[in-house]
Amino acid sequence: MRTILIFFSIFLIAVFDTVSAKTANGVDIKQALAVNDSLETSIDWGEAIWIGYTKDNRPEEWAGRDMIYNQPPSDINTWEPTNEELKTTFKKSYPSPLLRKQIRIAKEIQSAQINSCGLGLHELYLNGEKLGDRVLDPAQTSYDKRAFYVVHNVSNLLQKGNNALGIMLGNGFYGQNVAFQHKLEYGMPRALLSLNIVYKDGSTETVVSDDSWKAHMSPVLFDNIYHGETYDARLEVENWCTAGFDDSTWDSAEKMDVPTNKLVEQEMEPMRKIREVKPIAVLPADKGWIIDMGQNMTGWLQIKVKETKGTAVKMQFAELLMPDRKNIDPASTGIHVTGGVQTDIYICNGEDREKWEPRFTYHGFRYVQIEGLSRKPDLKDFTGWLVRTDVDRIGTFECSDALINKFYNVSMWTIEDNLQGLLSDCPHRERCAWLGDAYAVAEAATFNFDLERFWRKTSADMETVLGVSPAHFKDDFPYDPRTPSNIGVGKRLCLQARPDWGAATVMVPWYSYIYYGDKQIVKNAWSMMEGWMVYVDEKVQVEGIIDGGYGDWCPPGGNEAMDTPPALTSTALYYQTLLAMHKMALVLGEDLAAVDYAQKAEQVKTAFNISFFDAASNSYGSQTGNAFALFSQLVPKHKEQAIADKLADLIMNDKNGHYNCGIFGHRPLYTMLNDYGHAEVTQQLWSITDYPSLGFMTDKHDLTTWPETPNNWPEGKRYFRNSFNHPMNSGFAASFHESLGGIRPDAEHPGFKNFFLQPCFIPGLDWVKTSHNSPHGLIKSAWERKNGMISWTLSIPENTTAKVRMDAFSAEQISLNKKTVDENNFSLKSGEYKIVIKE
C-alpha cells in the first residue's frame, strides 16, 4: 500500500522490554502493553501439549514455488527486466500435516466440548466430518502475544464406542515464510486441543493433544496465505479421521514449543464462505483460458474437473487483464514485493468428476487464468466464493440514480473484501491492518456491518504492537513504548505509527462506542489511548501543531498531487482524538482527565487556526483543508458557512467541478457540502464521468472495487501497479446514510438510543431509501420527490428518540403526519412518521 514503506518491511522486529515505568500522566507502561484481559476465557487444557509434525516427505517439485524477490522500478508498466533481474529463488512452505487420535466412549454423555487452537490455520474433524463451516480459522493475531482458540459443542456428535478426532493444519500468517523474502513467520504449524466430556453419571474425562496422537503428510503440498495452495488429490488418505482407520504406519505426533502463553477464545465472528459469485465469461488466453468473475472479489475459486490422473490444473489470480486481454496482469496484486503471482494448483486423481477448493489461502481477484485443461472450460464448472469475517449486514441504501447506487455498491464490495479477521488494506499485496485505513473507513463500515466484536479485536490487536519497532532501521520519529506500529497486528509493521495513522487507537474505540454503545471497548483500550495521547503531546506536539504524518493519502494522481500539508490533517486528527478522549473520560468517570483533554483541545483549535486559516479567503487552502476542518469542528465560530462556500468554490472554480481529496478529505466531503447548502456541488461530483471522478472509475473503467489511487489511466495501456481493492477509499460512503438518509448517531446517547435525522434532499434524485439496524432496533429513512413536494417516511425503534433537523426549510413548509409544526427542528418518539415538505 505505502510504496515508500514497502522497503522497510525487509527488517526484523525487535520487541520493547516492558520494564515498569510511568508516563507523565501516570499511565503504567506495562499495563498499557497488556492485551485486553477482559476477553480471556478460563479453559482447563488439562495436560494438553502443542503438537505438530516436522517431517517433510513432500515431492520436492510441488513443495515450493519460484519467487522473484528483486524490486522493479516504480513504473512497473515500462519495466523490461534482464534475465538476471528475473532470477528466481525456490522457496518451500512449511509442511501442512494431518493429526489424528482415536478415543473410546464407554458411558452416556451429558455434554462435550472441544477447544482447539491450530496455528496458523486448522480444520477440525470428528468421525470423518469437518466440524462447522468456519474457514481460515482462527483469525490472525500477533501470535507471540496472544492466539485465539475456538470452541465446538460436540455433545450430540460423539458416539458410544470408538471415535476419531482429526486436525488438518495450514501455515496461515503463523507459518508465512515465503512472501516478502524476510522472516515474517513465527514457526511451523502446530495445534493444541482439549476435549472435555461430562458424563450423565457426573464423572468427567478430558482428552488432550499429546504425543500419543498420530501424524502424516497431507495432500496439501504447498500452502501460503499470499501465494496459494498446491493440492495433490492422488495423496488423499481415505477415511483418515474415522474410527477404525489403521494408522499403524503413521508417525507419532511431535511435541512443539509453546507459541504464546496467552490463549483467548475468539469472540469475533469467524471467517466463512459468505456467498457464491458466478463467473460471466470464458476468454481465450495465450496459455489456457481466462475466467472472468465479473466482480473484483476476495476468496477463492471452486472448480469441477475431469482430467487424467496426474494432470496439474494451474490457476493464477489477478484483478486486471493485459491490454490484449490474452493474459492476466498480476502487477496490482503485489508480485513486486510478495515474490510471485497468486496461484492454486490442483493435481487430479483421475477418478470421476473432481470438485476442489483451497483451504489455507485466499486471493484478491476478478480474473483467473487456468491452464492444464484438455478442453474449453464451461462456466458451470466454476464457482467463486466471497470469503470474509461473517459479520451481519446492518445497513442498506438505494436511490433513483443508478450511478450513485453503483458508488454505494462498489464501496460495500470493497469493505467486504477486506474484512479478513482484520480490516486489511488490500486482499492480495499486503493484507495488513494499516491504522490510517481503519480510521478512514470506520464509520462507513459501521453503518453497514455489525462490527462491534470486530472493532474490539482490532483495538486489542493494536495493543499487541505497542512499543514494537524495526530492529535495524533508524526511524525519524522518537521511539516510544506507548506507540503502536503503523500496522496493527503481526510482524510486517512498517515502523511506529505516525501521528495521523496512530489516531485510530482512539478513534476506533470512539466510533464503536457512539455507534454501538460499546463501553467495554473504551474500558479495555483506556490505558493504550491515554498512553498514545501523552506520547503525542510530549514528543510530537509543538505549540499545538502536530507534524510528521503521512497526510491526505492517495488523492487523485497519487501522493505527489497532495495539496494539503500533513501537519493540517495530523493536527485536525489530534483535535478529534482530544474531543473523543474528553467524552470517553466522562463516560469512565475520569473527570480530571476530561477537563485536561478539553483544555488541550481549545489550545489546539487556536493553534490550528493561527497556522492554517486564511481569514481573507475564508479558506484552509485546499478542498481537504476546508472539508476536514469543518468535519473536525475546528472552524472559528460563525465562519462555517463562509468556509463551506469556499469549499464549493475550490471545487467548481479552482478544479473545474472535480474533487482532489485523499482519504481524509474525501471521507466528509459530500456531507459537508450538503450540510451547508451546496448539494448541487455533490450532484455535480456524482454525475460526471471524466477524470478525476467516482464515475470515471466505475462508469468509464468498470471498476467494481475502489483502487488504491484514482489515476488517469492511459487508454489502451496497462493499468498502474497500485492495488484495485482498497477500503480506505470507501470512507465517503458514510454520506449515503448520514447525509442522503440523514441517519446520524448522537454521542451523548450512544448506540442510537437517541439519534439525529438530518437528510439532504439532493437535487436530481427522485427518491432515496436507507436503513440502519442499530442496537436499539431498525431505523428507516426514505424520501420521494414529486410535484414540488418531498414525502419523507421515518421508522424510529421502540424506546428511542430522534431529533429532526431541517434548517434548510421553514416550519411553514413542513407538515408531520398531516399536521403543521411549530419549528423546523423537533423531536420524535418511537413510531412511524410521514413528513411532507414543500420545496
Side-chain angles (χ1 to χ4, degrees):
M1 172 184 162
R2 289 37 183 190
T3 304
I4 193 171
L5 295 179
I6 285 172
F7 301 98
F8 301 157
S9 63
I10 63 172
F11 300 104
L12 300 178
I13 303 300
V15 179
F16 175 74
D17 182 12
T18 58
V19 298
S20 179
K22 295 280 186 178
T23 62
N25 69 341
V27 178
D28 190 293
I29 291 176
K30 186 177 288 187
Q31 179 186 8
L33 289 176
V35 182
N36 295 343
D37 289 332
S38 62
L39 294 178
E40 195 165 9
T41 303
S42 177
I43 286 291
D44 180 11
W45 292 94
E47 299 298 319
I49 63 172
W50 289 89
I51 59 173
Y53 187 57
T54 63
K55 185 176 180 180
D56 189 355
N57 46 17
R58 297 171 292 173
E60 184 76 11
E61 64 174 315
W62 298 116
R65 302 276 174 88
D66 288 326
M67 299 289 116
I68 304 172
Y69 286 122
N70 50 299
Q71 298 280 351
S74 58
D75 186 4
I76 196 173
N77 306 293
T78 60
W79 182 42
E80 295 181 2
T82 64
N83 288 335
E84 182 62 27
E85 287 176 314
L86 288 176
K87 186 176 180 180
T88 60
T89 300
F90 187 73
K91 187 71 173 177
K92 294 172 66 175
S93 67
Y94 290 131
S96 299
L98 302 174
L99 305 171
R100 64 166 268 121
K101 171 73 174 179
Q102 185 157 306
I103 60 175
R104 183 167 182 79
I105 304 296
K107 296 185 288 187
E108 296 294 325
I109 292 174
Q110 178 69 37
S111 64
Q113 175 178 293
I114 296 178
N115 312 300
S116 65
C117 180
L119 301 179
L121 302 169
H122 76 301
E123 290 185 343
L124 187 59
Y125 293 82
L126 177 61
N127 295 331
E129 299 293 332
K130 179 187 170 185
L131 291 178
D133 56 0
R134 305 164 73 111
V135 299
L136 300 172
D137 208 28
Q140 182 189 3
T141 55
S142 299
Y143 300 107
D144 55 339
K145 302 293 180 64
R146 64 174 186 156
F148 288 147
Y149 67 86
V150 297
V151 176
H152 292 276
N153 185 334
V154 294
S155 304
N156 297 322
L157 299 177
L158 286 172
Q159 56 195 27
K160 202 167 183 179
N162 290 328
N163 294 261
L165 293 166
I167 300 174
M168 193 173 190
L169 285 174
N171 283 289
F173 286 97
Y174 185 85
Q176 199 291 100
N177 66 334
V178 176
F180 294 97
Q181 190 176 22
H182 58 296
K183 290 187 177 180
L184 293 180
E185 78 271 18
Y186 293 81
M188 299 181 74
R190 62 202 64 201
L192 184 75
L193 178 143
S194 71
L195 165 59
N196 301 311
I197 305 171
V198 177
Y199 293 106
K200 289 185 177 180
D201 65 6
S203 62
T204 62
E205 182 180 1
T206 300
V207 178
V208 299
S209 53
D210 56 26
D211 55 11
S212 69
W213 284 54
K214 293 299 190 74
H216 194 272
M217 180 181 73
S218 83
V220 177
L221 301 183
F222 173 93
D223 74 287
N224 180 267
I225 202 74
Y226 289 90
H227 284 282
E229 187 171 315
T230 299
Y231 186 93
D232 192 340
R234 299 170 300 178
L235 301 177
E236 290 176 343
V237 183
E238 189 174 359
N239 298 322
W240 70 273
C241 55
T242 59
F245 174 79
D246 182 6
D247 59 15
S248 59
T249 61
W250 284 35
D251 296 325
S252 294
E254 302 171 35
K255 180 180 179 180
M256 307 292 283
D257 291 339
V258 176
T260 179
N261 290 320
K262 190 175 187 67
L263 293 179
V264 182
E265 181 177 358
Q266 180 173 320
E267 294 191 344
M268 181 185 65
E269 296 85 350
M271 298 276 285
R272 287 194 175 96
K273 295 159 61 177
I274 300 300
R275 61 179 177 271
E276 295 182 358
V277 180
K278 296 295 186 182
I280 63 171
V282 175
L283 309 174
D286 285 341
K287 292 183 178 180
W289 305 89
I290 294 172
I291 311 300
D292 180 1
M293 304 306 298
Q295 171 69 51
N296 203 12
M297 59 177 287
T298 299
W300 52 65
L301 187 69
Q302 181 187 84
I303 62 172
K304 296 177 183 177
V305 295
K306 184 172 177 56
E307 300 290 343
T308 58
K309 186 174 184 178
T311 298
V313 180
K314 179 180 179 182
M315 294 153 277
Q316 292 187 299
F317 299 80
E319 298 179 295
L320 305 167
L321 296 179
M322 290 292 188
D324 64 3
R325 299 180 66 81
K326 295 291 185 180
N327 293 281
I328 59 169
D329 184 353
S332 73
T333 62
I335 58 172
H336 56 291
V337 288
T338 63
V341 180
Q342 304 170 106
T343 304
D344 288 341
I345 299 172
Y346 177 73
I347 303 172
C348 302
N349 64 21
E351 298 176 5
D352 300 321
R353 190 168 180 79
E354 303 171 53
K355 181 179 178 180
W356 179 82
E357 60 191 281
R359 286 176 169 85
F360 300 131
T361 191
Y362 66 91
H363 310 294
F365 68 103
R366 172 172 174 169
Y367 301 98
V368 188
Q369 189 159 351
I370 185 166
E371 302 175 42
L373 299 178
S374 58
R375 59 178 177 82
K376 180 181 178 179
D378 193 314
L379 282 180
K380 71 176 184 296
D381 294 334
F382 304 96
T383 300
W385 281 102
L386 172 68
V387 177
R388 63 161 171 83
T389 302
D390 189 15
V391 293
D392 289 339
R393 182 71 178 267
I394 59 173
T396 64
F397 169 85
E398 189 179 8
C399 73
S400 58
D401 188 296
L403 189 57
I404 295 174
N405 288 335
K406 185 179 285 189
F407 300 159
Y408 174 75
N409 292 329
V410 167
S411 299
M412 294 306 103
W413 262 105
T414 313
I415 292 170
E416 277 196 281
D417 280 347
N418 287 278
L419 297 176
Q420 302 295 321
L422 48 81
L423 181 74
S424 59
D425 63 324
C426 58
H428 32 62
R429 185 178 76 215
E430 296 190 59
R431 310 176 188 218
C432 289
W434 285 88
L435 302 191
D437 302 51
Y439 165 81
V441 76
E443 291 184 279
T446 302
F447 265 124
N448 289 282
F449 299 93
D450 183 1
L451 299 179
E452 183 173 359
R453 286 182 283 181
F454 188 94
W455 290 136
R456 283 193 189 183
K457 191 264 184 183
T458 299
S459 181
D461 280 342
M462 295 179 197
E463 293 186 64
T464 67
V465 296
L466 287 173
V468 181
S469 183
H472 304 297
F473 185 81
K474 187 179 184 302
D475 200 350
D476 58 356
F477 257 67
Y479 169 82
D480 196 284
R482 298 164 295 193
T483 64
S485 301
N486 281 303
I487 294 171
V489 69
K491 283 194 173 184
R492 190 179 177 274
L493 300 173
C494 291
L495 308 178
Q496 289 193 113
R498 293 309 185 255
D500 43 7
W501 260 234
T505 58
V506 173
M507 299 307 291
V508 165
W510 170 243
Y511 287 143
S512 192
Y513 171 69
I514 63 174
Y515 280 84
Y516 302 126
D518 186 6
K519 188 176 178 179
Q520 189 62 50
I521 193 174
V522 177
K523 291 179 179 178
N524 293 343
W526 185 249
S527 293
M528 174 179 68
M529 294 190 293
E530 280 202 303
W532 168 257
M533 298 302 291
V534 173
Y535 158 72
V536 175
D537 191 44
E538 286 181 351
K539 297 191 176 181
V540 185
Q541 180 266 135
V542 178
E543 296 182 352
I545 300 302
I546 309 296
D547 205 351
Y550 294 128
D552 192 31
W553 201 257
C554 288
N559 289 329
E560 59 272 18
M562 191 187 301
D563 65 353
T564 303
L568 185 153
T569 46
S570 291
T571 305
L573 280 161
Y574 182 52
Y575 183 75
Q576 289 183 30
T577 60
L578 285 167
L579 295 183
M581 289 296 287
H582 166 70
K583 295 286 189 182
M584 288 187 283
L586 292 175
V587 169
L588 297 183
E590 300 284 349
D591 294 345
L592 291 178
V595 172
D596 183 50
Y597 289 124
Q599 290 174 345
K600 287 178 180 176
E602 286 302 312
Q603 296 166 4
V604 170
K605 184 173 184 177
T606 299
F608 180 87
N609 285 293
I610 291 173
S611 297
F612 302 114
F613 182 53
D614 180 4
S617 62
N618 286 315
S619 181
Y620 292 90
S622 65
Q623 293 180 23
T624 288
N626 282 22
F628 210 52
L630 285 166
F631 178 66
S632 304
Q633 304 175 59
L634 276 162
V635 172
K637 196 172 183 179
H638 306 309
K639 282 287 187 178
E640 292 90 348
Q641 188 61 53
I643 290 165
D645 293 345
K646 182 61 177 179
L647 171 61
D649 179 67
L650 288 170
I651 294 169
M652 299 305 295
N653 294 319
D654 286 23
K655 295 299 179 181
N656 194 30
H658 295 77
Y659 86 102
N660 72 332
C661 303
I663 61 172
F664 293 144
H666 198 212
R667 154 61 188 101
L669 180 64
Y670 309 110
T671 297
M672 294 301 100
L673 287 169
N674 296 344
D675 278 358
Y676 291 98
H678 292 289
E680 78 286 349
V681 179
T682 296
Q683 181 194 27
Q684 153 73 16
L685 294 172
W686 284 354
S687 63
I688 58 176
T689 57
D690 60 332
Y691 177 82
S693 68
L694 300 175
F696 179 76
M697 293 182 276
T698 58
D699 189 64
K700 292 294 186 183
H701 286 271
D702 191 32
L703 299 186
T704 59
T705 53
W706 297 121
E708 180 178 11
T709 303
N711 278 306
N712 193 8
W713 301 288
E715 188 174 349
K717 295 185 178 181
R718 293 178 72 183
Y719 284 90
F720 303 150
R721 69 176 184 174
N722 307 83
S723 155
F724 279 74
N725 200 339
H726 254 64
M728 65 183 186
N729 286 319
S730 293
F732 80 93
S735 62
F736 296 122
H737 276 86
E738 71 186 6
S739 189
L740 271 66
I743 303 170
R744 307 186 189 198
D746 179 357
E748 302 298 328
H749 305 275
F752 291 86
K753 175 65 175 174
N754 181 81
F755 56 95
F756 298 107
L757 289 168
Q758 186 179 342
C760 174
F761 307 111
I762 188 170
L765 284 185
D766 296 326
W767 56 267
V768 164
K769 296 178 182 178
T770 56
S771 72
H772 173 71
N773 196 6
S774 77
H776 285 91
L778 184 64
I779 303 168
K780 294 182 180 179
S781 173
W783 54 266
E784 183 180 14
R785 173 182 279 117
K786 187 180 294 183
N787 300 324
M789 307 288 284
I790 296 173
S791 296
W792 179 23
T793 57
L794 302 170
S795 180
I796 301 172
E798 291 186 8
N799 300 314
T800 66
T801 57
K803 296 179 181 179
V804 178
R805 301 192 295 204
M806 289 187 288
D807 293 333
F809 304 95
S810 66
E812 290 76 18
Q813 294 175 275
I814 303 168
S815 68
L816 172 64
N817 287 350
K818 299 183 178 180
K819 296 180 180 179
T820 59
V821 296
D822 296 327
E823 298 180 1
N824 56 1
N825 294 335
F826 47 87
S827 294
L828 297 175
K829 296 180 180 180
S830 59
E832 307 289 326
Y833 299 91
K834 183 174 182 179
I835 297 174
V836 177
I837 307 161
K838 297 178 182 179
E839 287 196 277

